[in-house]
């Protein structure tokens, strides 16, 4: 009958990839303590992993009702909306985070994903370039930009970035 014990059990079960049992443990924690925000957040993350997007959105929305400035929860909800292909809702959440925290890399990365899915490749590249401006050594982002150029069939730009990547990381077999 201890909410934190059920929350810890939920985390352990998630690590073991027993996601149904994990969600049940978080549900029990929330039954015992309806204000247990960590349990609700973790249950939303597990629901996202299980592709139960409505449940993830419901938990995230309840958390945002209590704390609308929780950017991690807002991005989690954006991810669930994105996976439901509700790009407008996902973009609204991401833009709200970026309004409060301009240039936040996780939000810019999420917005780039949304733009790419909407075939707004130039906007996706612009968001990723902003991440690169803040962290020029972020080779993963540079690779993503190169792949977007490749997808646009802008092979000369893509090749230039692939060359740059290979100079900086010659062992990168995927490049």
């Amino acid at each position: 009958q201890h909410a934190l014990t059920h929350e810890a059990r939920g985390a352990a079960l998630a690590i073991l990839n027993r996601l149904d049992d994990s969600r049940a443990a978080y549900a029990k924690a929330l039954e015992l303590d309806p204000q247990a925000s960590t349990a609700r957040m973790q249950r939303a993350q597990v629901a996202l992993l299980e592709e139960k997007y409505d449940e993830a959105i419901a938990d995230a929305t309840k958390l945002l009702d209590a704390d609308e400035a929780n950017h991690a929860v807002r991005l989690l909800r954006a991810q669930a909306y994105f996976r439901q292909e509700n790009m407008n809702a996902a973009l609204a959440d991401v833009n709200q985070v970026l309004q409060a925290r301009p240039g936040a890399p996780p939000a810019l990365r999420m917005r780039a994903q949304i733009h790419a899915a909407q075939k707004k490749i130039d906007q996706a590249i612009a968001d990723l370039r902003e991440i690169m401006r803040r962290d020029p050594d972020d080779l993963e982002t540079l690779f993503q930009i190169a792949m977007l150029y490749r997808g646009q069939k802008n092979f000369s730009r893509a090749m230039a970035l692939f060359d740059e990547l290979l100079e900086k990381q010659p062992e990168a077999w995927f490049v």
Side-chain angles (χ1 to χ4, degrees), residues 47-74:
L48 190 63
L49 289 172
E50 288 187 298
E51 299 180 3
K52 296 181 180 196
Y53 304 127
D54 288 335
E55 292 178 26
I57 290 166
D59 273 340
T61 300
K62 183 142 178 109
L63 287 164
L64 289 168
D65 288 345
D67 179 9
E68 67 181 34
N70 189 326
H71 305 308
V73 171
R74 195 165 296 282

Side-chain angles (χ1 to χ4, degrees), residues 6 20-21 28 36 39 41 50 59 62 79 90 99 105 115 124-125 131 134 136 146 168 171 175:
H6 287 281
D20 282 340
D21 294 334
K28 183 64 177 176
M41 174 69 167
E50 288 187 298
D59 273 340
K62 183 142 178 109
Q79 185 69 247
Q99 187 174 26
H115 287 320
I125 290 170
I131 294 170
R134 294 166 180 269
K168 292 180 178 181
E171 72 281 358
V175 176

Side-chain angles (χ1 to χ4, degrees), residues 18-166:
R18 292 177 47 195
L19 300 180
D20 282 340
D21 294 334
S22 174
R23 270 188 321 105
Y26 290 132
K28 183 64 177 176
L30 288 165
E31 177 186 313
L32 295 169
D33 180 5
Q35 304 307 313
S37 60
T38 303
R40 190 170 304 281
M41 174 69 167
Q42 290 172 330
R43 185 173 74 174
Q45 290 172 329
V46 169
L48 190 63
L49 289 172
E50 288 187 298
E51 299 180 3
K52 296 181 180 196
Y53 304 127
D54 288 335
E55 292 178 26
I57 290 166
D59 273 340
T61 300
K62 183 142 178 109
L63 287 164
L64 289 168
D65 288 345
D67 179 9
E68 67 181 34
N70 189 326
H71 305 308
V73 171
R74 195 165 296 282
L75 288 176
L76 183 142
R77 187 172 74 174
Q79 185 69 247
Y81 282 135
F82 175 78
R83 292 191 185 168
Q84 280 186 327
E85 298 182 17
N86 184 345
M87 300 304 165
N88 291 334
L91 195 56
D93 272 348
V94 170
N95 284 336
Q96 203 163 348
V97 171
L98 287 168
Q99 187 174 26
R101 296 194 56 221
L108 285 170
R109 194 173 305 285
M110 181 76 226
R111 190 168 70 180
Q113 265 189 300
I114 295 165
H115 287 320
Q118 295 175 317
K119 309 290 187 229
K120 298 176 182 176
I121 304 303
D122 290 336
Q123 289 172 291
I125 290 170
D127 283 337
L128 294 174
R129 288 221 177 263
E130 178 60 19
I131 294 170
M132 289 297 303
R133 187 183 72 72
R134 294 166 180 269
D135 182 5
D137 297 325
D138 184 345
L139 300 182
E140 179 183 335
T141 300
L142 189 59
F143 180 74
Q144 290 171 337
I145 295 168
M147 293 300 290
L148 287 170
Y149 280 131
R150 181 177 161 255
Q152 278 185 319
K153 298 186 190 236
N154 188 338
F155 298 120
S156 60
R157 278 195 169 165
M159 288 300 294
L161 293 178
F162 287 135
D163 287 343
E164 183 180 339
L165 280 162
L166 286 171

